[in-house]
């Protein structure tokens, strides 16, 4: 027995050998693709000489970014995630602490190195109340911002009036030192 096909039997190949017309089509397609690639490269060189490539209808890396995406990219590149998140908390302060507390206490600043949030209250009674609520608020803020973002809340009472030296103070005066020059 021989392994070669006899007359009328196939050799196991499903596709016939390409004939002259098929070979010509394949060669033409390859030549068109090569010409197109050469033309694209020449067009890009010509555009580069005229002042750079220009954006077309398709998406391109040089296209402008959406404002939100640009801000998020900047925050990530600079490592400002935690301060930006705390800034968001300052904007959402009434939702976090409640309307009652927010009317009387407002966040002033956040120290990123110490992870301390400074809050100013409009009365000593509210300052005392917030000092008692501070551990609960720290837990709520860390739940919102991520563990360890806020270590402590410093509560300040109302600031006293600016100190004045005498009832008849001259505008622009720095006190008795400017008299003796």
């Amino acid at each position: 027995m021989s392994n070669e096909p006899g007359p009328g039997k196939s050799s196991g190949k499903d596709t016939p050998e390409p004939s002259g017309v098929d070979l010509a089509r394949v060669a033409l397609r390859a030549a068109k693709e090569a010409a197109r690639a050469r033309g694209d490269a020449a067009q890009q060189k010509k555009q580069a000489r005229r002042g750079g490539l220009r954006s077309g209808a398709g998406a391109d890396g040089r296209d402008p970014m959406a404002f939100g995406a640009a801000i998020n990219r900047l925050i990530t590149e600079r490592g400002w995630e935690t301060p930006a998140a705390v800034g968001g908390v300052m904007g959402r302060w009434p939702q976090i602490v409640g309307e009652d507390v927010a009317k009387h206490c407002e966040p002033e600043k956040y120290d990123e190195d110490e992870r301390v949030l400074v809050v100013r209250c409009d009365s000593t009674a509210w300052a005392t109340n917030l000092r008692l609520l501070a551990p609960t608020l720290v837990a709520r803020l860390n739940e919102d911002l991520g563990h360890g973002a806020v270590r402590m809340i410093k509560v300040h009472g109302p600031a006293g009036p600016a100190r004045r030296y005498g009832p008849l103070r001259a505008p622009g005066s720095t006190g008795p030192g400017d008299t003796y020059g």
Side-chain angles (χ1 to χ4, degrees), residues 81-99 101-103 105-112 115-120 137 140-142 144-145 149-150 152-154 156:
E81 289 92 357
T82 303
V86 171
V89 164
M90 289 183 178
R92 294 179 293 134
W93 184 251
Q95 289 87 17
I96 293 171
V97 298
E99 292 292 328
V101 176
K103 287 178 188 173
C105 305
E106 66 181 47
E108 275 190 344
K109 66 179 180 176
Y110 174 72
D111 184 2
E112 185 179 0
R115 295 181 311 204
V116 174
L117 180 66
V118 178
V119 178
R120 171 93 41 203
L137 286 177
R140 193 178 299 169
L141 289 169
N142 283 329
D144 194 25
L145 299 172
V150 177
M152 186 173 88
I153 294 179
K154 276 190 180 176
H156 294 286

Side-chain angles (χ1 to χ4, degrees), residues 3-179:
N3 288 339
E4 296 186 354
K9 294 186 179 178
S10 70
S11 64
K13 292 183 182 177
D14 292 339
T15 58
E17 287 290 322
S19 65
V21 175
D22 293 330
L23 287 174
R25 283 187 185 132
V26 170
L28 178 63
R29 187 178 308 126
K32 282 182 177 180
E33 288 175 4
R36 188 176 300 122
R38 281 193 310 270
D40 287 347
Q43 182 70 20
Q44 286 178 351
K45 282 183 184 178
K46 192 184 294 184
Q47 283 180 346
R49 275 186 260 134
R50 281 189 283 162
L53 298 174
R54 291 179 176 82
S55 184
D60 192 352
R62 297 170 290 140
D63 287 343
M65 294 178 84
F67 185 70
I71 293 296
N72 288 338
R73 182 173 156 191
L74 179 68
I75 287 171
T76 303
E77 285 175 356
R78 303 279 172 105
W80 294 341
E81 289 92 357
T82 303
V86 171
V89 164
M90 289 183 178
R92 294 179 293 134
W93 184 251
Q95 289 87 17
I96 293 171
V97 298
E99 292 292 328
D100 251 0
V101 176
K103 287 178 188 173
H104 301 283
C105 305
E106 66 181 47
E108 275 190 344
K109 66 179 180 176
Y110 174 72
D111 184 2
E112 185 179 0
D113 298 329
E114 298 289 323
R115 295 181 311 204
V116 174
L117 180 66
V118 178
V119 178
R120 171 93 41 203
C121 296
D122 62 1
S123 71
T124 55
W126 276 103
T128 304
N129 191 20
L130 196 66
R131 283 187 192 102
L132 294 172
L133 291 174
T136 306
L137 286 177
V138 167
R140 193 178 299 169
L141 289 169
N142 283 329
E143 192 177 291
D144 194 25
L145 299 172
H147 182 68
V150 177
R151 188 176 54 83
M152 186 173 88
I153 294 179
K154 276 190 180 176
V155 181
H156 294 286
R163 178 107 172 133
R164 298 189 66 188
Y165 298 101
L168 301 175
R169 182 156 189 221
S173 169
T174 58
D178 64 356
T179 307

